[in-house]
Amino acid sequence: MAISDPDLVIAWKQVLDMCKVTAGEQLTILTSDDSNPQIVGACRIAATQIGAVVSLLNLPPMNGEKALSRDKSGYVGKTALAFNSAALACLKASDMVIDTMQLLFSPEQEQILRGGTRMLLAVEPPEVMLRMMPTMEGKARVLAAEKLLEKAKVMTVTSKAGTDFRCALGQYPVLTQYGLADEKGRWDHWPSCFVARWPDEGSCEGTIVIDEGDIMLPFKMYARDRVVLTIEKGFVTRIDGGFTADYMKEFMDSFNAPEAYAMAHVGWGLEPRASWTQLGLYDRESGLSMDSRTFAGNFLFSTGPNTEAGGKRDVPCHLDIPLRKCSLSLDGEAMTVEGKVVQPPM
Ligand SMILES: O=c1ccc(O)c[nH]1
């Protein structure tokens, strides 16, 4: 069901407090024409209650004529900031940015964070945000997983469906998402609770099987039939199967960019309040489906950009594919077993 304005204000107040927003801090709410006005309005009231110096910055939507969908994650990394030095200066001068348009994977986002600005993405439906309010317990779980992923050298993933994947780790930092931008220079997305890392370039090898019912984003669809991906030297080199494979290949080919087939972040979901079934209950354009990216025990792999990890690959084609029933290990130590989290303890 929907969320009342007062309840969303109360939730924003809690989250901004947990992001250590204090009176006098410069807080900018970044909006575009497709931002959720309830999210913007409630955040503005809560930030003002805290005593932050609040600005609203509205940028025009971008890429409508290039993308195949209006989903914010369907065409990533190219934003109105690329030609707007005044807006970029405003965001760089802010202590905290609430992003309701999605700068994710843009080079500008990295520039803003490098200056110490904290950034929180908020584009999901308000009821999803409140069902998965960030918690200190969730943060602790993600940070415990970060420690395991940070010292790991090899990730292996298997499944009864036929996945047999491995990659080397070490070149890139760990991606932690627990829904709070509570440290200088930190980006996060409310709601989130998962950990991931970009594999060492060229190190991904093996087979990944997307089984019937596994989720494919940004298509916002459950795979109708099995897709067998062949991974060689860090790239998806074959996509075999029936309709779902054809659909995936056609979408990726439409970008005419070889880098679209590069493997991107790999990791596992840690959110017990997220559900594999949520996607089936929502219209496709109602949100990004963070339930799908964070449900506990998934193996979330992705393709395309690596700018968020400090890389140069800024291809706008980004797929997030959370698989069920996989067994993910780090240096031989099990993190998930057939889709159940065993590390860190839930
Ligand atoms: O929150 C997000 C959303 C998409 C993504 O690829 C990573 N994290």
Side-chain angles (χ1 to χ4, degrees), residues 148 151 154 156 328-336 342-343:
L148 298 167
K151 65 180 174 43
V154 177
T156 53
L328 184 154
S329 295
L330 297 177
D331 298 340
E333 185 184 359
M335 300 294 126
T336 67
V342 294
Q343 284 282 8

Side-chain angles (χ1 to χ4, degrees), residues 73 102 104-105 121 175 177 187-189 191-192 194 198 265 288 290 293 300 302 308 318-320:
S73 60
Q102 188 171 309
L104 189 54
F105 294 113
L121 178 61
L175 168 66
Q177 288 197 215
W187 173 86
D188 210 319
H189 182 178
S192 287
F194 72 87
W198 271 260
H265 57 77
L288 297 191
M290 287 308 284
R293 288 183 183 82
L300 173 64
S302 64
E308 208 185 341
H318 177 55
L319 272 55
D320 280 321

Side-chain angles (χ1 to χ4, degrees), residues 42-201:
C43 177
R44 184 181 185 187
I45 293 169
T48 306
Q49 281 177 329
I50 290 174
V53 178
V54 181
S55 307
L56 283 93
L57 176 66
N58 182 272
L59 293 179
M62 287 273 294
N63 309 319
E65 73 291 353
K66 297 192 200 98
L68 289 176
S69 94
R70 284 186 291 192
D71 185 286
K72 298 181 189 317
S73 60
Y75 191 98
V76 299
K78 314 293 180 205
T79 74
L81 278 178
F83 319 102
N84 190 330
S85 52
L88 188 56
C90 163
L91 296 173
K92 282 181 173 178
S94 304
D95 299 302
M96 179 83 178
V97 170
I98 305 296
D99 175 6
T100 70
M101 73 177 285
Q102 188 171 309
L103 300 177
L104 189 54
F105 294 113
S106 67
E108 293 80 24
Q109 171 165 311
E110 300 316 307
Q111 286 177 46
I112 294 164
L113 294 170
R114 265 202 296 277
T117 299
R118 312 192 301 278
M119 190 182 288
L120 188 66
L121 178 61
V123 294
E124 281 291 77
E127 67 277 6
V128 172
M129 294 167 76
L130 267 68
R131 172 165 47 87
M132 293 192 276
M133 282 291 285
T135 64
M136 286 300 128
E137 179 253 338
K139 173 180 177 180
R141 191 158 62 236
V142 169
L143 296 185
E146 178 189 32
K147 284 199 174 55
L148 298 167
L149 196 43
E150 223 153 38
K151 65 180 174 43
K153 297 276 176 284
V154 177
M155 178 185 287
T156 53
V157 184
T158 59
S159 74
K160 289 201 169 106
T163 292
D164 184 4
F165 167 79
R166 62 204 162 280
C167 65
L169 301 165
Q171 181 175 358
Y172 292 117
V174 174
L175 168 66
T176 60
Q177 288 197 215
Y178 48 81
L180 297 170
D182 54 354
E183 306 295 341
K184 264 176 98 58
R186 176 177 174 80
W187 173 86
D188 210 319
H189 182 178
W190 169 24
S192 287
C193 193
F194 72 87
V195 70
R197 196 168 188 180
W198 271 260
D200 291 1
E201 294 300 337

